[in-house]
Amino acid sequence: MSLLDELRIPRGPVDLSAYSPGGTPGLDMGKKRGKRRLDALGPALVKLQTKLFAQRAQPDGRRVLLVLQGMDTSGKGGVLKHTVGLVDPVGVRITSFKAPTDEERAHDFLWRIEKAVPARGYLGVFDRSHYEDVLIARVHSFAPPEEIERRYGAINDFEQRLVDEGTVIVKCMLHISPAEQMKRLLARLDDPAKHWKYNPGDVDERQQWAAYTEAYEVALERTNTEAAPWYVVPSDKKWYRNLAIAKLLHETLKSLDLGWPAADFDVAAERKRLAADTIGEREG
Amino acid sequence: MSLLDELRIPRGPVDLSAYSPGGTPGLDMGKKRGKRRLDALGPALVKLQTKLFAQRAQPDGRRVLLVLQGMDTSGKGGVLKHTVGLVDPVGVRITSFKAPTDEERAHDFLWRIEKAVPARGYLGVFDRSHYEDVLIARVHSFAPPEEIERRYGAINDFEQRLVDEGTVIVKCMLHISPAEQMKRLLARLDDPAKHWKYNPGDVDERQQWAAYTEAYEVALERTNTEAAPWYVVPSDKKWYRNLAIAKLLHETLKSLDLGWPAADFDVAAERKRLAADTIGEREG
């Protein structure tokens, strides 16, 4: 079974307690082997991504959008560094969504998202996303219930449009346990080189763990579409999280069955032109 | 001597024929050792870049801008992949400048450049840059001589302002020989997996080698300022080019003498707050 099949959640109601944050589904190995597997996956991933990038000038060129969602400390930054960091940065567009600016708030919640979707040939990565607008917005009642309700449908329509345009969307929920979050928050406090990552607000958010869990369950259920399904990635083990997402990307790129674009010029004629060229001799 | 000192060109008239494109100044070694040195530099580069990124919320946080200029096939893409690819992509913003759009053309040439300069904490990378507006624009007379003339001064004022704002600018000219360019163009023709990189227009541009060389010499002379000096990077040897630019970045980041930002919260109080927290036990 592919890891895409293994981690894709079934349609219908979602109960996150049914997914173990410390599990390693589909990748039965230890940390050491897991890290080696990730390194070993690098070259194949680069090759497939380069094929994607090579299509950026093709009218039917594809796009890939990786959406990373998860509680604070679940490892969105780690995935950017260790997994997304494997590929050629020229073809990657990372957008880290923060609290919306005044200008963004004056528009529909999808306005800033639309501006960040990947162009043809690109791997776009969302570090947080439009899902914040049905997660934190729901937990903190930043919007009335009927507006939150409207957003699930708006998200599905929006994602369907991206898919119809040739984008593949890989939506990953990085699933951690509250005990693991505690460990990671304490580790940030213990190391002065990590203080910049520590935000006292994260501890306030942590108090709403149950409300966030419920908000995730509803959001996952409502937006787990055929066009853009959700993957729940157990993330208490960092090596598993990084490797699993690398494999999801790899399987996704492979499924596109990309070839190298055909030359839109006459190869033999170009070779002849270059052979006749004496610039090298005059000045080389 | 640092590599920054080694490759920084002296003020005054520039004669590119005085710089050997096949040389390895400051890094006297072979390809194998050069590649190992580049890999070995990775972790130190990541650490320094993370310190830069950690400052993104500090009012006095720094910015770094790497400018890559060079003839077609000189290896701007290779530097992105092999050198820029070493660091954490979350803190990198790459902009590949193409022929300006109608909207860009309706503005001053620096308008689109301003929009792409790195924010605090970021490493910005320009794959081509505002220098195209005094290089290709000069060679092809896309602008009258007095406008080209104006631009050198405008560039110096613009870069001075970036530096005054806290940006360090590292301007690299990737210096290749016409013979090496020929080799690389033929290699792109010979391999169907590289056809997408081949552009017949590159061969037309190649015919203007002497005019480009002169345009570079003038541009380098006129914009080789104290605030933003030029580095000429011999680029016939790919391993040297990748390693040299990694070292220029490393030395630049080191010279900023960055520390970790101090905590803007009470570490002991936060630890106490977390210790009192029972979310982990209730649900973990």
Side-chain angles (χ1 to χ4, degrees), chain A residues 61-102:
Chain A
R62 306 298 300 269
R63 312 163 172 90
V64 176
L65 174 60
L66 174 67
V67 174
L68 302 175
Q69 276 292 153
M71 302 287 278
D72 297 316
T73 78
S74 61
K76 299 175 291 289
V79 171
L80 295 179
K81 182 172 180 176
H82 299 287
T83 303
V84 177
L86 287 174
V87 302
D88 189 340
V90 78
V92 177
R93 288 290 177 272
I94 297 172
T95 309
S96 297
F97 290 100
K98 310 286 179 195
T101 63
D102 284 346

CSV table of all heavy atoms in Angstrom, one decimal, chain A residues 61-102:
chain,number,residue,atom,x,y,z
A,61,GLY,N,1.4,22.5,-17.8
A,61,GLY,CA,2.3,22.2,-16.7
A,61,GLY,C,1.5,22.1,-15.3
A,61,GLY,O,0.5,22.8,-15.1
A,62,ARG,N,2.0,21.2,-14.5
A,62,ARG,CA,1.2,21.0,-13.2
A,62,ARG,C,1.8,21.8,-12.1
A,62,ARG,O,2.8,22.5,-12.3
A,62,ARG,CB,1.4,19.5,-12.8
A,62,ARG,CG,0.9,18.5,-13.9
A,62,ARG,CD,-0.5,18.6,-14.3
A,62,ARG,NE,-1.4,18.4,-13.1
A,62,ARG,CZ,-1.9,17.2,-12.8
A,62,ARG,NH1,-1.6,16.1,-13.5
A,62,ARG,NH2,-2.7,17.1,-11.7
A,63,ARG,N,1.1,21.8,-11.0
A,63,ARG,CA,1.5,22.5,-9.8
A,63,ARG,C,1.3,21.6,-8.6
A,63,ARG,O,0.3,20.8,-8.7
A,63,ARG,CB,0.6,23.8,-9.6
A,63,ARG,CG,0.4,24.7,-10.7
A,63,ARG,CD,-0.8,25.6,-10.5
A,63,ARG,NE,-0.9,26.6,-11.5
A,63,ARG,CZ,-1.7,26.5,-12.6
A,63,ARG,NH1,-2.3,25.4,-12.9
A,63,ARG,NH2,-1.8,27.5,-13.4
A,64,VAL,N,2.0,21.7,-7.6
A,64,VAL,CA,1.8,20.9,-6.4
A,64,VAL,C,1.7,21.9,-5.2
A,64,VAL,O,2.5,22.8,-5.0
A,64,VAL,CB,2.9,19.9,-6.1
A,64,VAL,CG1,2.7,19.1,-4.8
A,64,VAL,CG2,3.0,18.9,-7.3
A,65,LEU,N,0.7,21.7,-4.3
A,65,LEU,CA,0.6,22.5,-3.1
A,65,LEU,C,0.6,21.6,-1.9
A,65,LEU,O,-0.3,20.8,-1.7
A,65,LEU,CB,-0.7,23.3,-3.2
A,65,LEU,CG,-1.0,24.1,-1.9
A,65,LEU,CD1,0.0,25.1,-1.6
A,65,LEU,CD2,-2.4,24.8,-2.1
A,66,LEU,N,1.6,21.8,-1.0
A,66,LEU,CA,1.7,21.1,0.2
A,66,LEU,C,1.2,22.0,1.3
A,66,LEU,O,1.7,23.1,1.5
A,66,LEU,CB,3.1,20.7,0.5
A,66,LEU,CG,3.4,20.0,1.8
A,66,LEU,CD1,2.8,18.6,1.9
A,66,LEU,CD2,5.0,19.9,2.0
A,67,VAL,N,0.1,21.5,2.0
A,67,VAL,CA,-0.5,22.3,3.1
A,67,VAL,C,0.0,21.7,4.4
A,67,VAL,O,-0.3,20.5,4.6
A,67,VAL,CB,-2.0,22.4,3.0
A,67,VAL,CG1,-2.6,23.1,4.2
A,67,VAL,CG2,-2.4,23.1,1.7
A,68,LEU,N,0.6,22.5,5.3
A,68,LEU,CA,1.0,22.0,6.6
A,68,LEU,C,0.2,22.6,7.7
A,68,LEU,O,0.2,23.8,7.9
A,68,LEU,CB,2.5,22.2,6.8
A,68,LEU,CG,3.5,21.6,5.8
A,68,LEU,CD1,4.9,22.1,6.1
A,68,LEU,CD2,3.4,20.1,5.8
A,69,GLN,N,-0.6,21.8,8.4
A,69,GLN,CA,-1.4,22.3,9.5
A,69,GLN,C,-1.0,21.5,10.8
A,69,GLN,O,-0.8,20.3,10.7
A,69,GLN,CB,-2.9,22.2,9.2
A,69,GLN,CG,-3.4,23.4,8.4
A,69,GLN,CD,-3.4,24.7,9.2
A,69,GLN,OE1,-3.4,25.8,8.6
A,69,GLN,NE2,-3.5,24.7,10.5
A,70,GLY,N,-1.1,22.1,11.9
A,70,GLY,CA,-0.9,21.3,13.2
A,70,GLY,C,-0.8,22.3,14.3
A,70,GLY,O,-0.6,23.5,14.1
A,71,MET,N,-0.9,21.8,15.5
A,71,MET,CA,-0.8,22.6,16.7
A,71,MET,C,0.6,23.2,16.8
A,71,MET,O,1.5,22.7,16.1
A,71,MET,CB,-1.0,21.7,18.0
A,71,MET,CG,-2.4,21.0,18.0
A,71,MET,SD,-3.7,22.1,18.3
A,71,MET,CE,-3.6,22.2,20.1
A,72,ASP,N,0.8,24.2,17.7
A,72,ASP,CA,2.1,24.8,17.9
A,72,ASP,C,3.1,23.6,18.3
A,72,ASP,O,2.7,22.7,19.0
A,72,ASP,CB,2.1,25.8,19.0
A,72,ASP,CG,1.2,27.0,18.7
A,72,ASP,OD1,1.3,27.5,17.5
A,72,ASP,OD2,0.4,27.4,19.5
A,73,THR,N,4.3,23.7,17.8
A,73,THR,CA,5.4,22.8,18.0
A,73,THR,C,5.2,21.4,17.2
A,73,THR,O,6.0,20.5,17.4
A,73,THR,CB,5.7,22.4,19.5
A,73,THR,OG1,4.7,21.5,20.0
A,73,THR,CG2,5.7,23.7,20.3
A,74,SER,N,4.1,21.3,16.4
A,74,SER,CA,3.9,20.0,15.8
A,74,SER,C,5.0,19.7,14.7
A,74,SER,O,5.1,18.6,14.2
A,74,SER,CB,2.5,20.0,15.2
A,74,SER,OG,2.3,21.0,14.2
A,75,GLY,N,5.7,20.8,14.3
A,75,GLY,CA,6.8,20.5,13.4
A,75,GLY,C,6.7,21.0,12.0
A,75,GLY,O,7.4,20.5,11.1
A,76,LYS,N,5.9,22.0,11.8
A,76,LYS,CA,5.8,22.6,10.5
A,76,LYS,C,7.2,23.1,10.0
A,76,LYS,O,7.6,22.9,8.9
A,76,LYS,CB,4.8,23.7,10.4
A,76,LYS,CG,3.4,23.2,10.8
A,76,LYS,CD,2.3,24.3,10.9
A,76,LYS,CE,2.5,25.2,12.1
A,76,LYS,NZ,2.3,24.7,13.4
A,77,GLY,N,7.9,23.8,10.9
A,77,GLY,CA,9.2,24.3,10.6
A,77,GLY,C,10.2,23.2,10.3
A,77,GLY,O,11.1,23.3,9.5
A,78,GLY,N,10.1,22.1,11.1
A,78,GLY,CA,11.0,21.0,10.9
A,78,GLY,C,10.8,20.4,9.5
A,78,GLY,O,11.8,19.9,8.9
A,79,VAL,N,9.5,20.3,9.1
A,79,VAL,CA,9.3,19.7,7.7
A,79,VAL,C,9.9,20.6,6.7
A,79,VAL,O,10.4,20.2,5.7
A,79,VAL,CB,7.8,19.5,7.5
A,79,VAL,CG1,7.4,19.1,6.1
A,79,VAL,CG2,7.2,18.4,8.5
A,80,LEU,N,9.7,21.9,6.9
A,80,LEU,CA,10.3,22.9,5.9
A,80,LEU,C,11.8,22.6,5.8
A,80,LEU,O,12.4,22.5,4.7
A,80,LEU,CB,10.0,24.3,6.3
A,80,LEU,CG,8.6,24.8,6.3
A,80,LEU,CD1,8.4,26.2,6.7
A,80,LEU,CD2,7.9,24.6,4.9
A,81,LYS,N,12.5,22.5,6.9
A,81,LYS,CA,13.9,22.4,6.9
A,81,LYS,C,14.4,21.1,6.4
A,81,LYS,O,15.2,21.0,5.5
A,81,LYS,CB,14.4,22.6,8.4
A,81,LYS,CG,15.9,22.6,8.5
A,81,LYS,CD,16.3,23.0,10.0
A,81,LYS,CE,17.8,22.9,10.2
A,81,LYS,NZ,18.2,23.4,11.5
A,82,HIS,N,13.8,20.0,6.9
A,82,HIS,CA,14.4,18.7,6.6
A,82,HIS,C,13.7,18.0,5.4
A,82,HIS,O,14.4,17.2,4.7
A,82,HIS,CB,14.2,17.8,7.9
A,82,HIS,CG,14.9,18.3,9.1
A,82,HIS,ND1,16.3,18.2,9.2
A,82,HIS,CD2,14.5,18.9,10.2
A,82,HIS,CE1,16.7,18.8,10.3
A,82,HIS,NE2,15.6,19.2,10.9
A,83,THR,N,12.5,18.3,5.1
A,83,THR,CA,11.9,17.6,3.9
A,83,THR,C,11.8,18.5,2.7
A,83,THR,O,12.4,18.2,1.7
A,83,THR,CB,10.4,17.2,4.3
A,83,THR,OG1,10.5,16.3,5.5
A,83,THR,CG2,9.8,16.4,3.2
A,84,VAL,N,11.2,19.7,2.9
A,84,VAL,CA,11.2,20.6,1.8
A,84,VAL,C,12.6,21.1,1.4
A,84,VAL,O,12.9,21.3,0.2
A,84,VAL,CB,10.3,21.9,2.1
A,84,VAL,CG1,10.3,22.9,1.0
A,84,VAL,CG2,8.9,21.4,2.4
A,85,GLY,N,13.5,21.1,2.4
A,85,GLY,CA,14.9,21.5,2.2
A,85,GLY,C,15.7,20.5,1.3
A,85,GLY,O,16.8,20.8,0.9
A,86,LEU,N,15.1,19.3,1.1
A,86,LEU,CA,15.8,18.4,0.2
A,86,LEU,C,15.7,18.8,-1.3
A,86,LEU,O,16.6,18.4,-2.0
A,86,LEU,CB,15.1,17.0,0.3
A,86,LEU,CG,15.3,16.2,1.6
A,86,LEU,CD1,14.4,14.9,1.6
A,86,LEU,CD2,16.8,15.8,1.8
A,87,VAL,N,14.7,19.5,-1.7
A,87,VAL,CA,14.5,19.8,-3.1
A,87,VAL,C,15.2,21.1,-3.5
A,87,VAL,O,15.7,21.8,-2.7
A,87,VAL,CB,13.1,19.7,-3.5
A,87,VAL,CG1,12.5,18.3,-3.2
A,87,VAL,CG2,12.3,20.8,-2.9
A,88,ASP,N,15.2,21.3,-4.8
A,88,ASP,CA,15.9,22.5,-5.4
A,88,ASP,C,15.1,23.8,-5.0
A,88,ASP,O,13.9,23.9,-5.5
A,88,ASP,CB,16.0,22.4,-6.9
A,88,ASP,CG,16.8,23.4,-7.5
A,88,ASP,OD1,17.0,24.5,-6.9
A,88,ASP,OD2,17.3,23.2,-8.7
A,89,PRO,N,15.6,24.7,-4.3
A,89,PRO,CA,14.8,25.8,-3.8
A,89,PRO,C,14.3,26.7,-4.9
A,89,PRO,O,13.3,27.5,-4.7
A,89,PRO,CB,15.8,26.6,-2.9
A,89,PRO,CG,17.2,26.2,-3.3
A,89,PRO,CD,17.0,24.8,-3.8
A,90,VAL,N,14.9,26.6,-6.1
A,90,VAL,CA,14.4,27.5,-7.2
A,90,VAL,C,13.0,27.2,-7.5
A,90,VAL,O,12.3,28.1,-8.0
A,90,VAL,CB,15.3,27.4,-8.4
A,90,VAL,CG1,15.0,26.2,-9.2
A,90,VAL,CG2,15.2,28.6,-9.3
A,91,GLY,N,12.5,26.0,-7.3
A,91,GLY,CA,11.2,25.6,-7.7
A,91,GLY,C,10.2,25.5,-6.6
A,91,GLY,O,9.1,25.0,-6.7
A,92,VAL,N,10.6,26.1,-5.4
A,92,VAL,CA,9.7,26.0,-4.2
A,92,VAL,C,9.3,27.4,-3.8
A,92,VAL,O,10.0,28.4,-3.9
A,92,VAL,CB,10.5,25.4,-3.0
A,92,VAL,CG1,9.7,25.4,-1.8
A,92,VAL,CG2,11.0,24.0,-3.4
A,93,ARG,N,8.0,27.6,-3.4
A,93,ARG,CA,7.5,28.8,-2.9
A,93,ARG,C,6.9,28.5,-1.5
A,93,ARG,O,5.8,27.9,-1.5
A,93,ARG,CB,6.5,29.5,-3.8
A,93,ARG,CG,7.0,30.1,-5.1
A,93,ARG,CD,7.9,31.3,-4.8
A,93,ARG,NE,8.5,31.9,-6.0
A,93,ARG,CZ,9.6,31.5,-6.5
A,93,ARG,NH1,10.4,30.6,-5.9
A,93,ARG,NH2,10.1,32.1,-7.6
A,94,ILE,N,7.5,28.9,-0.5
A,94,ILE,CA,7.0,28.7,0.9
A,94,ILE,C,6.3,30.0,1.3
A,94,ILE,O,6.8,31.1,1.2
A,94,ILE,CB,8.1,28.4,1.9
A,94,ILE,CG1,8.9,27.1,1.5
A,94,ILE,CG2,7.6,28.4,3.3
A,94,ILE,CD1,10.1,26.9,2.3
A,95,THR,N,5.1,29.8,1.9
A,95,THR,CA,4.4,31.0,2.5
A,95,THR,C,4.0,30.6,3.9
A,95,THR,O,3.3,29.6,4.2
A,95,THR,CB,3.1,31.3,1.7
A,95,THR,OG1,3.4,31.4,0.3
A,95,THR,CG2,2.5,32.6,2.2
A,96,SER,N,4.5,31.4,4.8
A,96,SER,CA,4.2,31.2,6.3
A,96,SER,C,3.1,32.2,6.6
A,96,SER,O,3.3,33.4,6.6
A,96,SER,CB,5.4,31.4,7.1
A,96,SER,OG,6.4,30.5,6.8
A,97,PHE,N,1.9,31.7,6.8
A,97,PHE,CA,0.8,32.6,7.1
A,97,PHE,C,0.8,32.9,8.6
A,97,PHE,O,0.8,32.1,9.5
A,97,PHE,CB,-0.5,31.9,6.7
A,97,PHE,CG,-0.7,31.8,5.2
A,97,PHE,CD1,-0.4,30.6,4.6
A,97,PHE,CD2,-1.1,32.9,4.5
A,97,PHE,CE1,-0.6,30.6,3.2
A,97,PHE,CE2,-1.2,32.9,3.1
A,97,PHE,CZ,-1.0,31.7,2.5
A,98,LYS,N,0.8,34.2,8.9
A,98,LYS,CA,0.7,34.8,10.2
A,98,LYS,C,-0.7,35.3,10.5
A,98,LYS,O,-1.6,35.2,9.6
A,98,LYS,CB,1.7,35.9,10.4
A,98,LYS,CG,3.1,35.6,9.9
A,98,LYS,CD,3.8,34.7,10.9
A,98,LYS,CE,5.2,34.3,10.4
A,98,LYS,NZ,5.8,33.2,11.1
A,99,ALA,N,-1.0,35.9,11.6
A,99,ALA,CA,-2.2,36.6,11.8
A,99,ALA,C,-2.4,37.6,10.7
A,99,ALA,O,-1.5,38.3,10.3
A,99,ALA,CB,-2.2,37.4,13.2
A,100,PRO,N,-3.6,37.7,10.1
A,100,PRO,CA,-3.8,38.5,9.0
A,100,PRO,C,-3.6,40.0,9.3
A,100,PRO,O,-3.8,40.5,10.4
A,100,PRO,CB,-5.3,38.3,8.6
A,100,PRO,CG,-5.9,37.5,9.7
A,100,PRO,CD,-4.8,36.9,10.5
A,101,THR,N,-3.1,40.7,8.3
A,101,THR,CA,-2.9,42.2,8.4
A,101,THR,C,-4.2,42.9,8.3
A,101,THR,O,-5.2,42.3,7.9
A,101,THR,CB,-2.0,42.7,7.3
A,101,THR,OG1,-2.6,42.5,6.0
A,101,THR,CG2,-0.6,42.0,7.3
A,102,ASP,N,-4.2,44.2,8.5
A,102,ASP,CA,-5.5,44.9,8.4
A,102,ASP,C,-6.0,44.8,7.0
A,102,ASP,O,-7.2,44.6,6.7
A,102,ASP,CB,-5.2,46.4,8.7
A,102,ASP,CG,-5.1,46.6,10.2
A,102,ASP,OD1,-5.5,45.7,11.0
A,102,ASP,OD2,-4.6,47.7,10.6
